[in-house]
């Protein structure tokens, strides 16, 4: 049904807003302000539009009219606001309002519009703009819905009639303030006669008393909600409610039958048997405790509850012996742990049963009278010395043999008597405790074996002499004063006397009266070495060797003589050693080994064996071992037995060997000694002939001595003569020799004068191989 409203303009002051039949939702709620508002010529009521209108023509909403409009067409009506032109239209001549689309109240319940009358020619308003509301009128087009469904609920079993289970709720999107479209009633479609639902509230209750979970534990209900107060033509919706009966302790435990487990020889704390009392309840209502009430097994067995299975676990407390007792009888009780007082009438909530435990005889292994036997023996005991005795017996028979498992065979065990004796000489310092595992084997059944342990402690005797605790490195400064302590020494002894070590120190008899050093025993297992004089000079004697006698306090006492090496060093004012050992001397004082090495090199060169490498010894610096930027990192001694890779082989290629033999370096004075190493041929820089003009043997001999002198005058070199090693190529290469030296030893016409054009790095090779007249210096 449609409602039509006709509105017209009144210019009379009596036709004010106070005459409105229904105030707009946007009106000011203050009643006093109404008396002071400006007069307007519009009088309003709400417009109503029925939702879901499905007619073919636009739906007429209402009509607007102004008293300024004389019907001559000079006034035009204009509509604006929510849905203007898209949903609502207005006839600009007549003021008729129509709805052009279907409206859904659940999507939008009302629309706020503005209407205005304007002059058609000038478009100027002839009346102020005013608001009005178009309210969508509800129809029953939405069914009730259970937004929280489906439901899960629980109620204790055995609950009384009418116990509340759960409350369901359905919502209807229709207007609850208009008609019965949103008024819902509930009913149960499936689930009778066990449950019921209250029509208005949706509360579900039990409809039968004492429902038993053990008979049926779950019910599925179907609940319907219908609008229009359940009248015919109303819309409805359904949901499911799953009701689970929760358990209560209404069933006592019951043993089905008694068990008689068989028991072999078991260790203590072994599980003998498992028994269980049946309980129809679940969870905490089925939890139970077991106890042994009486029987001849009290003290021999205990029973506990397995919390996972609720079984009674019978445990062995003491060893069983078939020969002593072959069976036991137990009476066991099972009691519910959590008893509900509401169901005591169904009890008692406990039950008892009898358990018979039968012990089965088994063939037991031999048993040692003492599982662990402790014995002692002196480390100087002779082979065959008896230490102790072990014994074992067989519970079933009387015969058993004993076998020793000492893999190192330090001890023997008599198989019949069990006497343990030494089989080898003992050394406490090598092994102070011997752990012997001894087996007793049953003669009739070798698989039956008993095991015992003999712990043999080796007693110490004084059979080790004391020695220096460490390898001492003693330094004696040349400026040391008489009576100065230069070293404190201590000793160690592999023996371990019960009263602890006591060492005595003294200088050995041959040096007891020496004029250089003396020894002072500090009486605390240490001794101090002191100087008797000053003025030590390493040029006179670089090292002193001092024999020290150390005696222990054993019985009998043992002693040893240990040599202490004292190195004489040049020290600074703070006593810090700068250099130690012998002072380097001139070439006339070269060692025999150095001269032999040089002579060997010369002889080898004269034999025309191919030279493969000439390397200088890398000298050590006192500064940190960091490579300088200008230092050629390839100047290292690298020894290998295969043939080199030519000029690109930089791993073992020594750039020093390519330096000009004729270059004279400025000698640098060494910090500790100025060496004066003459050469066999004294040439000045102006008069020394070129190496090309020297004989073959003189060329290499002069080259070697010049390199030796360069090393001696190098300020960063060690303060001692160093031996330069020069290696020569062998003759075993599969690819044959690539050496130019060998080619020169033949009748080759090779000319090496071009080496002079290769720059300063190859000038040394040019001096060695080049020849202006075309003849080789090696020919």
């Amino acid at each position: 049904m449609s409602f039509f409203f006709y509105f017209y303009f009144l210019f009379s002051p009596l036709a004010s807003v106070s005459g409105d039949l229904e105030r707009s939702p946007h009106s000011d709620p203050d009643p006093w302000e109404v008396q002071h508002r400006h007069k307007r010529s519009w009088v309003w009521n709400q417009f109503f539009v029925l939702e879901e209108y499905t007619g073919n023509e636009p739906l007429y909403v209402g009509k607007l009219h102004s008293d300024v409009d004389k019907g001559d067409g000079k006034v035009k009506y204009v509509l604006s606001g929510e849905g203007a032109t898209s949903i609502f239209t207005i006839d600009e001549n007549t003021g008729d309002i129509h709805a052009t689309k279907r409206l859904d109240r659940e999507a939008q319940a009302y629309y706020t519009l503005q209407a205005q009358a304007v002059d058609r020619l000038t478009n100027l308003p002839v009346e102020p703009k005013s608001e009005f509301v178009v309210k969508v009128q509800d129809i029953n087009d939405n069914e009730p819905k259970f937004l929280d469904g489906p439901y899960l609920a629980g109620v204790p079993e055995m609950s009384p009639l009418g116990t509340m289970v759960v409350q369901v709720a359905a919502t209807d999107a229709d207007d609850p303030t208009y008609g019965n479209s949103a008024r819902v009633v509930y009913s149960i479609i499936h689930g009778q006669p066990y449950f019921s639902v209250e029509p208005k509230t949706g509360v579900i209750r039990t409809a039968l008393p004492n429902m038993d979970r053990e008979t049926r534990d779950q019910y599925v209900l179907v609940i319907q909600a219908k609008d229009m107060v359940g009248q015919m033509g109303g819309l409805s919706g359904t949901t499911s409610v799953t009701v689970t009966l929760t358990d209560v302790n209404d069933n006592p435990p019951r043993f089905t039958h008694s068990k008689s487990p068989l028991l072999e020889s078991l260790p203590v704390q072994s599980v003998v048997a498992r028994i269980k009392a049946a309980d129809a309840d679940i969870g905490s209502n089925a939890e139970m405790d077991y106890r042994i009430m009486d029987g001849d097994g009290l003290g021999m067995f205990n029973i506990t509850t397995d919390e996972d299975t609720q079984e009674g676990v019978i445990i062995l407390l003491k060893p069983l012996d078939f020969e002593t007792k072959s069976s036991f009888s137990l009476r066991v009780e099972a009691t519910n742990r959590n008893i509900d007082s509401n169901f005591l009438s169904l009890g008692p909530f406990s039950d008892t049963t009898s358990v018979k435990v039968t012990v089965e005889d088994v063939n037991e292994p031999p048993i040692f009278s003492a599982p662990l036997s402790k014995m002692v023996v002196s480390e100087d005991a002779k082979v065959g010395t008896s230490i102790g005795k072990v014994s074992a017996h067989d519970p079933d028979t009387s015969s058993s043999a004993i076998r020793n498992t000492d893999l190192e065979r330090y001890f023997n065990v008599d198989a019949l008597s069990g006497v343990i004796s030494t089989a080898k000489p003992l050394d406490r310092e090598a092994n102070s405790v011997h752990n012997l595992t001894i087996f007793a084997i049953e003669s009739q059944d070798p698989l039956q074996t008993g095991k015992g342990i003999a712990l043999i402690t080796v007693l110490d005797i004084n059979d080790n002499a004391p020695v220096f605790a460490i390898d001492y490195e003693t330094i004696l400064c040349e400026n040391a004063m008489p009576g100065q302590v230069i070293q404190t020494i201590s000793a160690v002894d592999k023996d371990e006397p019960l009263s602890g070590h006591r060492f005595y120190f003294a200088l050995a008899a041959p040096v007891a009266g020496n004029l250089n050093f003396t020894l002072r025993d500090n009486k605390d297992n240490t001794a101090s070495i002191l100087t008797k004089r000053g003025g030590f000079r390493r040029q006179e004697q670089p090292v002193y060797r001092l024999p020290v006698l150390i005696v222990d306090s054993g019985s009998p006492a043992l002693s040893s003589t240990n040599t202490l090496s004292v190195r004489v060093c040049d020290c600074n004012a703070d006593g810090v050693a700068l250099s130690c050992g012998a002072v380097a001397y001139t070439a006339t004082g070269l060692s025999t080994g150095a001269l032999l090495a040089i002579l060997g090199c010369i002889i080898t060169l004269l034999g025309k064996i191919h030279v493969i490498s000439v390397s200088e010894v890398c000298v050590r610096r006192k500064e940190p071992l960091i490579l300088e930027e200008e230092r050629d990192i390839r100047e290292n001694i690298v020894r290998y037995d295969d043939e080199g890779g030519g000029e690109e082989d930089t791993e073992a290629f020594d750039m020093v060997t390519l330096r000009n033999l004729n270059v004279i370096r400025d000698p640098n004075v060494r910090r500790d000694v100025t060496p004066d190493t003459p050469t066999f041929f004294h040439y000045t820089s102006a008069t020394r002939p070129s190496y090309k003009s020297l004989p073959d043997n003189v060329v290499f001999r002069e080259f070697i001595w010049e390199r030796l002198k360069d090393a001696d005058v190098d300020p960063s070199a060690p303060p001692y003569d160093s031996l330069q090693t020069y290696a020569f190529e062998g003759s075993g290469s599969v690819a044959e020799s690539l050496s130019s030296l060998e080619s020169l030893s033949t009748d080759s016409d090779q000319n090496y004068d071009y080496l002079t054009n290769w720059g300063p790095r190859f000038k040394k090779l040019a001096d060695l191989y080049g020849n202006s007249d075309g003849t080789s210096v090696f020919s």
Side-chain angles (χ1 to χ4, degrees):
M1 113 181 238
S2 301
F3 294 90
F4 298 91
F5 296 89
Y6 176 79
F7 297 90
Y8 56 92
F9 293 100
L10 299 174
F11 290 103
S12 171
L14 299 177
S16 63
V17 178
S18 60
D20 292 351
L21 297 177
E22 185 174 351
R23 186 178 304 277
S24 168
H26 298 277
S27 300
D28 195 323
D30 189 354
W32 294 101
E33 189 176 341
V34 175
Q35 305 299 326
H36 303 285
R37 292 179 65 180
H38 296 289
K39 185 193 73 165
R40 66 182 181 183
S41 299
W42 296 75
V43 178
W44 303 108
N45 241 337
Q46 277 187 334
F47 291 97
F48 292 91
V49 179
L50 191 65
E51 72 168 327
E52 305 294 346
Y53 175 74
T54 58
N56 295 326
E57 299 294 333
L59 180 63
Y60 180 76
V61 179
K63 183 179 180 63
L64 302 178
H65 185 73
S66 172
D67 57 0
V68 179
D69 187 4
K70 303 301 181 181
D72 52 6
K74 294 181 178 181
V75 175
K76 181 174 65 174
Y77 296 96
V78 179
L79 189 65
S80 61
E82 295 179 317
T85 70
S86 62
I87 299 177
F88 302 100
T89 61
I90 187 170
D91 190 320
E92 63 179 15
N93 296 318
T94 63
D96 291 336
I97 301 174
H98 291 81
T100 62
K101 295 182 179 180
R102 294 176 58 183
L103 302 180
D104 185 3
R105 189 200 67 84
E106 287 71 39
Q108 187 167 345
Y110 62 87
Y111 297 85
T112 302
L113 301 171
Q114 294 84 33
Q116 192 171 30
V118 299
D119 187 275
R120 185 179 297 275
L121 297 178
T122 64
N123 279 333
L124 296 176
V126 297
E127 294 290 344
K129 183 184 292 187
S130 296
E131 281 186 351
F132 65 95
V133 175
V134 177
K135 186 174 182 180
V136 182
Q137 190 171 3
D138 182 52
I139 65 173
N140 188 21
D141 59 342
N142 291 277
E143 73 277 4
K145 295 181 179 180
F146 292 92
L147 301 181
D148 297 330
Y151 294 86
L152 297 176
V155 63
E157 64 172 330
M158 311 301 291
S159 295
L161 178 66
T163 300
M164 177 179 174
V165 179
V166 69
Q167 183 176 15
V168 298
T171 58
D172 196 315
D174 293 325
D175 189 357
T177 63
Y178 179 76
N180 296 323
S181 298
R183 296 181 62 183
V184 177
V185 294
Y186 301 94
S187 60
I188 183 168
I189 297 178
H190 180 74
Q192 299 98 340
Y194 306 103
F195 299 92
S196 63
V197 61
E198 294 181 358
K200 293 183 178 181
T201 63
V203 175
I204 299 175
R205 301 181 183 275
T206 58
L208 291 177
N210 302 325
M211 288 188 290
D212 189 5
R213 184 200 66 83
E214 287 73 36
T215 302
R216 182 179 176 183
D217 62 348
Q218 194 174 84
Y219 299 84
V220 178
L221 315 181
V222 178
I223 304 298
Q224 182 189 67
K226 189 174 184 180
D227 60 14
M228 299 298 292
V229 202
Q231 297 178 2
M232 185 176 296
L235 303 178
S236 64
T238 61
T239 187
S240 65
V241 181
T242 301
V243 180
T244 301
L245 296 183
T246 58
D247 185 55
V248 299
N249 192 7
D250 59 338
N251 292 279
R254 291 290 181 265
F255 285 106
T256 56
H257 60 277
S258 301
K259 292 189 176 182
S260 301
L262 297 177
L263 180 66
E264 296 184 356
S265 179
L266 296 176
V268 175
Q269 298 300 322
S270 296
V271 175
V272 175
R274 288 175 174 266
I275 61 175
K276 185 175 182 180
D279 193 323
D281 297 322
I282 60 174
S284 61
N285 296 317
E287 294 178 357
M288 60 189 70
D289 295 319
Y290 295 88
R291 69 185 183 96
I292 299 176
M293 300 180 64
D294 53 39
D296 56 5
L298 287 175
M300 291 293 296
F301 303 94
N302 188 25
I303 188 168
T304 60
T305 302
D306 187 329
E307 298 298 335
D308 295 329
T309 63
Q310 295 301 312
E311 292 178 312
V313 182
I314 301 176
I315 299 174
L316 180 65
L317 296 180
K318 296 180 181 180
L320 296 174
D321 186 3
F322 173 82
E323 288 74 20
T324 304
K325 188 172 179 61
S326 60
S327 65
F328 297 88
S329 295
L330 306 174
R331 194 160 68 94
V332 179
E333 180 187 50
T335 305
N336 272 148
R337 189 176 298 170
N338 305 301
I339 300 176
D340 192 337
S341 58
N342 295 323
F343 304 100
L344 290 177
S345 59
L346 302 177
F349 287 86
S350 63
D351 195 15
T352 61
T353 187
S354 296
V355 179
K356 184 178 182 180
V357 179
T358 302
V359 182
E360 184 180 275
D361 187 22
V362 295
N363 188 10
E364 299 169 292
I367 300 174
F368 280 85
S369 56
L372 176 62
S373 301
K374 294 182 179 181
M375 305 175 187
V376 295
V377 60
S378 177
E379 68 175 315
D380 63 345
K382 296 180 179 181
V383 175
T385 301
S386 296
I387 302 173
K389 181 179 180 180
V390 293
S391 61
H393 69 279
D394 192 330
D396 302 311
T397 61
S398 58
S399 60
S400 59
I402 294 177
R403 179 169 58 88
N404 179 21
T405 59
D406 179 18
L407 299 180
E408 297 180 352
R409 302 302 299 178
Y410 279 102
F411 302 93
N412 289 327
V413 180
D414 188 277
L416 297 179
S417 64
V419 173
I420 301 176
S421 59
T422 59
K424 288 183 180 180
L426 303 177
D427 185 3
R428 188 203 65 84
E429 287 69 39
N431 193 350
S432 61
V433 177
H434 295 265
N435 192 341
L436 271 66
T437 301
I438 303 172
F439 292 96
I441 304 173
E442 187 176 318
S443 57
Q444 296 179 356
D445 185 2
L447 296 179
Q448 297 297 324
T449 303
K451 184 175 71 173
I453 296 176
L455 197 64
I456 302 175
T457 302
V458 181
L459 301 180
D460 184 42
I461 63 170
N462 190 25
D463 58 344
N464 291 277
V467 295
F468 276 161
I470 60 174
D471 292 332
Y472 292 99
E473 295 183 0
T474 304
I475 294 175
L476 172 62
C477 293
E478 290 180 322
N479 56 2
M481 303 300 293
Q484 180 176 332
V485 176
I486 62 172
Q487 183 69 63
T488 299
I489 59 176
S490 61
V492 293
D493 193 326
K494 293 182 179 180
D495 296 320
E496 292 184 359
L498 296 178
S499 58
H501 288 292
R502 174 68 178 92
F503 299 121
Y504 304 92
F505 300 86
L507 293 179
V511 298
N514 75 92
L515 301 178
N516 298 316
F517 306 99
T518 185
L519 182 145
R520 181 181 65 203
D521 193 332
N522 297 325
K523 308 300 183 182
D524 60 353
N525 287 345
T526 65
S528 300
I529 307 299
L530 299 87
T531 58
K532 280 187 175 182
R533 65 177 180 88
F536 291 93
R537 295 292 180 267
R538 56 189 177 126
Q539 291 86 347
E540 300 173 359
Q541 186 171 345
V543 179
Y544 292 87
R545 303 193 183 277
L546 196 63
V548 178
L549 179 67
I550 309 175
V551 183
D552 63 17
S553 59
S555 179
L558 297 180
S559 64
S560 67
T561 300
N562 302 262
T563 301
L564 181 68
S565 296
V566 180
R567 297 172 60 195
V568 182
C569 301
D570 179 23
C571 304
N572 59 15
D574 296 329
V576 178
L578 301 178
S579 58
C580 302
V583 180
Y585 293 96
T586 62
T588 57
L590 286 174
S591 65
T592 304
L595 293 175
L596 290 176
I598 296 172
L599 183 59
C601 293
I602 295 174
I603 294 174
T604 306
L605 290 173
L606 292 177
K608 297 183 180 181
I609 299 178
H610 312 297
V611 179
I612 64 171
S613 173
V614 181
S615 304
E616 292 183 352
V617 175
C618 296
V619 294
R620 295 181 296 174
R621 298 177 181 269
K622 292 181 180 179
E623 293 77 19
L625 297 177
I626 302 177
L627 294 176
E628 301 174 356
E629 294 182 359
E630 65 274 8
R631 181 180 174 186
D632 194 329
I633 63 173
R634 295 173 294 180
E635 294 180 9
N636 299 308
I637 297 176
V638 179
R639 178 175 179 179
Y640 57 99
D641 297 330
D642 56 334
E643 189 169 20
E647 293 181 356
E648 295 181 356
D649 186 357
T650 60
E651 292 187 2
F653 191 75
D654 192 352
M655 296 297 295
V656 177
T657 61
L658 298 182
R659 292 176 181 165
N660 194 342
L661 291 171
N662 295 315
V663 174
I664 301 298
R665 300 181 181 176
D666 294 334
N668 296 319
V669 180
R670 299 178 62 151
R671 286 175 289 185
D672 56 334
V673 62
T674 302
D676 185 14
T677 308
T679 63
F680 289 105
F681 299 91
H682 299 278
Y683 300 122
T684 64
S685 59
T687 63
R688 186 175 64 175
S690 172
Y691 283 114
K692 294 186 293 183
S693 62
L694 297 176
D696 293 349
N697 60 335
V698 177
V699 169
F700 292 101
R701 185 167 56 187
E702 183 67 16
F703 172 77
I704 292 171
W705 280 108
E706 186 179 49
R707 284 292 171 262
L708 181 60
K709 181 178 179 180
D710 289 344
D712 286 339
V713 298
D714 189 349
S716 62
Y720 46 81
D721 292 338
S722 59
L723 176 63
Q724 307 293 331
T725 303
Y726 303 91
F728 297 89
E729 184 180 19
S731 59
S733 174
V734 176
E736 299 182 353
S737 175
L738 302 177
S739 173
S740 60
L741 297 179
E742 182 177 356
S743 62
L744 285 176
S745 65
T746 64
D747 297 333
S748 173
D749 294 333
Q750 177 72 34
N751 190 344
Y752 294 96
D753 289 343
Y754 60 86
L755 293 175
T756 58
N757 299 326
W758 284 14
R761 287 182 177 269
F762 297 92
K763 195 172 187 310
K764 189 181 301 294
L765 288 177
D767 291 339
L768 289 172
Y769 299 105
N771 193 350
S772 60
D773 58 2
T775 60
S776 172
V777 297
F778 298 100
S779 60

